[in-house]
Amino acid sequence: MYVEHLSLTGFRSYRQLDTAIEPGITVFVGPNGVGKTNIVEAIGYLATLSSHRVSTDKPLIAFGEERAIIRGRFVRGTQRTGVEVEINAVAANRARINRSNPVRARDAAGILKTVLFAPEDLALVKGDPSGRRRYLDEVLVSLLPHQSALRAEYERVLKQRNALLKSARAAGRFSTAHESTLDVWDQHLAEAGARLLSARLLLVDKLRPHVQRAYKELTDGSKGADITYVSSVSSSSDLAGDSDGAGTGGDAPPEALRDLALPELTALFVGSLLRHRRKELERGISLVGPHRDELDLLLGQVPAKGYASHGETWSMALALRLASYYLLLEEDHTPGGDPVLILDDVFAELDAQRRTRLAAIVAPAEQVLVTAAVGDDIPQALLGRQIRVVPGGIEEPDGSTEQPTDTGATARVETGETDE
């Protein structure tokens, strides 16, 4: 799979940008701050409907505009697919697939498959559990696009349940009406949460050997890497702690949860919610569920977080991304199913050994998109077609420059999507 054409309207620093992209290796080169990352961020957004740089969509819209539009045309084998995503400041985001009528944005998730490496990936190892949960869910959506709807359903139920808990806390008393309503939302949360938890547990089982392989490829092999899912849902009577993702004290090992049928997992979830009810009412927030779970990263016998050196932290972060790439290759055997690899300003952060090893691994992919401030940062294996990025536009290899137009962020740009 590769991106053949990209059009941006009102996205970040680009009032208007159109560029053709080729299969193979393309390097976007330019000084910091000119918009290299904005280009690959837009491609990543088309795949996952989220940015690797910010947690909300508002910063993606050019200042003073009400919406941003990203249009891409992708080639997979012999088929071309056009996807347009409209990011709105106020209204819900919308999408068009092959110029169809507008649909929900999440219906476009997973059509384009990407794996994106970025300096922000260090937070996968050093940061809060929320980043690791997000990593798992993004890989899930890439593998199974319908998981996007499941995650949205879980978040909707969680929001409603939290509102009820806050209402009961504000009232200063837990009435019979609160109790009966909370029982209903417990069941809804458990049903949606059990499906999401089951999917994550299966995903971690599939990712584990690829993480181990990738870490070994990136290092001298003196230490082994591993990952383990830790759920806040368990049969323990101990309450979860107060920190984010603190459901690490549960006594049910991942394999025990994984082997449960959905009705059994749902029942276990409900029971855990009941045991935590008093604490949840005191806090006014849900303390049990996939939104509180953790992905433990291990180097040898110790946690990577807090114990890994800077180089080991980078190797673990890269291994997580490479593992998702290997898994996507393993799960999709159709022609042109390879995900697009995006390396956003990564090589400036790596030592020579890791640069060389990472470049050798990713170079054979059908399409590799690289950004760099300095061309010398790019390893020899990735010296492909170069596009120079200038303020507000790009300079094509033939010397012509694509600059912003005066049509404004609401202008329509035809990308010529066709079905073959």
Side-chain angles (χ1 to χ4, degrees):
M1 173 179 287
Y2 63 92
V3 179
E4 183 180 53
H5 192 277
L6 178 70
S7 172
L8 306 179
T9 305
F11 182 86
R12 290 282 197 182
S13 59
Y14 294 103
R15 297 293 174 178
Q16 190 69 51
L17 178 76
D18 286 271
T19 184
I21 310 176
E22 299 174 357
I25 299 167
T26 298
V27 182
F28 295 95
V29 182
N32 291 329
V34 297
K36 304 182 302 295
T37 291
N38 296 347
I39 294 173
V40 295
E41 178 185 30
I43 294 172
Y45 191 96
L46 283 178
T48 64
L49 302 182
S50 63
S51 163
H52 69 287
R53 302 160 74 192
V54 292
S55 58
T56 64
D57 288 347
K58 186 176 180 180
L60 306 180
I61 303 174
F63 183 75
E65 301 295 341
E66 296 181 354
R67 65 184 62 85
I69 300 175
I70 309 171
R71 300 182 183 91
R73 188 168 65 243
F74 324 131
V75 179
R76 180 187 176 111
T78 60
Q79 183 179 7
R80 281 181 170 82
T81 304
V83 172
E84 171 188 308
V85 175
E86 180 180 290
I87 306 169
N88 290 296
V90 179
N93 295 345
R94 303 188 305 169
R96 293 177 185 269
I97 303 170
N98 289 327
R99 297 183 181 175
S100 64
N101 292 328
V103 295
R104 296 170 302 184
R106 71 168 183 249
D107 291 340
I111 296 176
L112 172 66
K113 298 184 186 299
T114 63
V115 175
L116 192 151
F117 302 76
E120 290 82 359
D121 288 343
L122 281 180
L124 288 176
V125 183
K126 300 171 67 175
D128 294 333
S130 59
R132 292 181 283 278
R133 292 192 293 263
R134 181 181 178 186
Y135 160 77
L136 289 177
D137 290 342
E138 287 180 353
V139 178
L140 267 179
V141 171
S142 294
L143 284 170
L144 303 167
H146 70 270
Q147 291 289 341
S148 177
L150 173 58
R151 187 173 60 174
E153 171 65 11
Y154 179 79
E155 291 172 351
R156 182 190 69 81
V157 174
L158 178 64
K159 182 178 179 179
Q160 294 290 336
R161 187 175 187 273
N162 281 342
L164 179 61
L165 289 170
K166 290 176 183 177
S167 173
R169 182 189 183 200
R173 52 189 288 272
F174 187 53
S175 66
T176 302
H178 282 134
E179 183 174 11
S180 60
T181 306
L182 190 56
D183 286 342
V184 173
W185 284 111
D186 281 2
Q187 187 65 33
H188 288 324
L189 188 73
E191 290 173 355
R195 294 196 300 273
L196 181 56
L197 174 56
S198 179
R200 283 185 183 175
L201 290 167
L202 181 59
L203 174 65
V204 170
D205 273 356
K206 291 182 176 181
L207 278 172
R208 180 175 292 115
H210 296 301
V211 171
Q212 295 167 346
R213 166 193 170 188
Y215 191 84
K216 185 175 181 180
E217 290 174 337
L218 290 165
T219 65
D220 60 9
S222 59
K223 288 185 181 179
D226 203 359
I227 57 174
T228 303
Y229 192 87
V230 183
S231 175
S232 55
V233 175
S234 75
S235 58
S236 174
S237 59
D238 297 329
L239 295 181
D242 289 342
S243 62
D244 177 36
T248 56
D251 61 357
E255 58 271 16
L257 295 175
R258 182 198 62 211
D259 294 339
L260 292 177
L262 276 177
E264 296 173 304
L265 189 56
T266 301
L268 185 64
F269 202 137
V270 170
S272 194
L273 287 171
L274 288 172
R275 286 190 298 275
H276 287 74
R277 178 168 287 186
R278 180 185 59 80
K279 189 70 172 179
E280 289 185 330
L281 288 167
E282 292 174 358
R283 295 278 303 278
I285 194 169
S286 300
L287 298 175
V288 177
H291 66 289
R292 299 282 296 183
D293 293 352
E294 170 65 293
L295 180 67
D296 277 351
L297 311 178
L298 302 173
L299 287 179
Q301 301 299 314
V302 301
K305 183 176 180 180
Y307 290 89
S309 68
H310 183 70
E312 289 172 336
T313 299
W314 258 116
S315 294
M316 176 60 85
L318 293 172
L320 290 172
R321 293 301 184 193
L322 283 173
S324 66
Y325 173 58
Y326 290 150
L327 182 57
L328 288 168
L329 289 177
E330 180 180 81
E331 294 287 312
D332 192 340
H333 301 290
T334 59
D338 298 19
V340 175
L341 294 184
I342 302 173
L343 294 94
D344 179 28
D345 206 21
V346 169
F347 292 108
E349 305 287 340
L350 303 179
D351 58 38
Q353 184 183 64
R354 288 180 176 82
R355 285 185 190 182
T356 301
R357 289 181 174 178
L358 178 60
I361 293 169
V362 303
E366 185 170 8
Q367 186 174 58
V368 183
L369 306 178
V370 184
T371 70
V374 180
D376 291 344
D377 288 340
I378 306 300
Q380 187 69 29
L382 294 178
L383 292 179
R385 173 180 182 245
Q386 289 200 4
I387 297 178
R388 179 156 294 278
V389 182
V390 297
I394 59 174
E395 185 178 279
E396 297 288 356
D398 62 4
S400 63
T401 301
E402 171 67 36
Q403 293 285 2
T405 68
D406 296 327
T407 54
T410 58
R412 174 127 188 129
V413 178
E414 298 296 344
T415 59
E417 295 94 341
T418 59
D419 290 314
E420 290 189 357

